[in-house]
Amino acid sequence: MAISRNMNTDAAYNCLIAAGASVYGACGVMGNIFAESRFNPRNLEDLCEERLGYKYTDDTYTEEVDSGEISRELFLHPMGDSRQYGYGLCQWTSAGRKAGLYDMVKTRGVSIGDARVQTEYMLSELKTSYKSVWKVLQTATTVQEASDIFLVKFEAPANTGASVKKVRASYGDQYLKLYQKKEENKVSKIKNAVARAE
């Protein structure tokens, strides 16, 4: 799947920028999200789908969590034991972090697969539990800097080696190219509007 702009990437970018992330910080995060879920907020970890015998697709699993067919406890522990699996844009995996996501969407009355609320949840985690990461995302001057800290401290997969860092930052750089154009267009529209008004 190629990197492109869509409603989910726009929601993430706009929320991150509005909250105070630098453009590099936002794009570093987005490269990691692409690596984790391909920006699919309904993404259930493939290994979980396999271990559940392909009983669910991403969509049917999300619908059953929304309807209550899959309980909060079963969402936190899909196999009914201590094993944990990822879900959503950031592939939240630990029971505590998934519980926070579950509780937020239920409070809002939206789907567990809602991209905007998942982005808001990610931001709330960054601002409360991952303050050192958030600080870097606000001041980052390169995608690599932002991508590396988000990978190592926020996502924290088993492999955070040099090759993983390189790939994730390359995704972030692709988002930077897409969204820098957006920022440049915004500036030129403002300049044109000012020129017309004068």
Side-chain angles (χ1 to χ4, degrees):
M1 181 181 160
I3 283 177
S4 61
R5 278 186 62 184
N6 58 46
M7 287 188 336
N8 295 341
T9 64
D10 281 356
Y13 181 83
N14 292 335
C15 284
L16 283 157
I17 295 295
S22 73
V23 172
Y24 301 100
C27 293
V29 169
M30 291 166 69
N32 274 276
I33 292 174
F34 181 80
E36 292 287 332
S37 65
R38 297 300 189 255
F39 256 101
N40 174 8
R42 295 177 151 221
N43 191 54
L44 174 64
E45 186 178 335
D46 293 345
L47 182 59
C48 186
E49 285 183 37
E50 181 188 321
R51 289 188 172 162
L52 289 169
Y54 297 104
K55 181 179 175 184
Y56 301 106
T57 64
D58 292 342
D59 289 337
T60 60
Y61 182 82
T62 298
E63 286 155 15
E64 297 229 346
V65 173
D66 289 346
S67 72
E69 286 292 317
I70 293 173
S71 67
R72 182 180 189 271
E73 183 55 34
L74 212 49
F75 175 68
L76 305 185
H77 302 99
M79 307 301 293
D81 56 25
S82 62
R83 289 177 288 178
Q84 299 177 333
Y85 300 93
Y87 180 82
L89 291 174
C90 296
Q91 288 295 283
W92 286 279
T93 303
S94 72
R97 293 179 74 184
K98 282 174 87 175
L101 172 63
Y102 183 94
D103 294 342
M104 179 180 271
V105 299
K106 291 297 180 184
T107 301
R108 302 280 182 89
V110 298
S111 170
I112 193 78
D114 185 286
R116 183 168 292 281
V117 175
Q118 285 189 18
T119 302
E120 289 172 14
Y121 179 64
M122 175 190 72
L123 277 166
S124 74
E125 282 195 305
L126 285 166
K127 290 178 178 183
T128 56
S129 305
Y130 298 89
K131 289 178 181 175
S132 64
V133 178
W134 179 237
K135 193 170 184 182
V136 172
L137 296 178
Q138 291 176 288
T139 59
T141 54
T142 66
V143 168
Q144 188 79 57
E145 177 189 10
S147 179
D148 286 357
I149 195 162
F150 194 81
L151 166 67
V152 172
K153 295 201 170 170
F154 186 88
E155 290 292 354
N159 183 356
T160 58
S163 62
V164 177
K165 287 177 177 172
K166 184 178 178 183
V167 168
R168 293 202 180 200
S170 76
Y171 294 153
D173 282 330
Q174 290 177 63
Y175 281 116
L176 181 65
K177 284 177 187 155
L178 287 172
Y179 283 90
Q180 269 185 327
K181 284 180 189 167
K182 177 184 181 226
E183 294 301 321
E184 285 163 11
N185 289 342
K186 197 191 297 177
V187 168
S188 68
K189 279 180 187 169
I190 291 167
K191 282 181 179 170
N192 290 341
V194 168
R196 280 196 302 271
E198 285 172 347

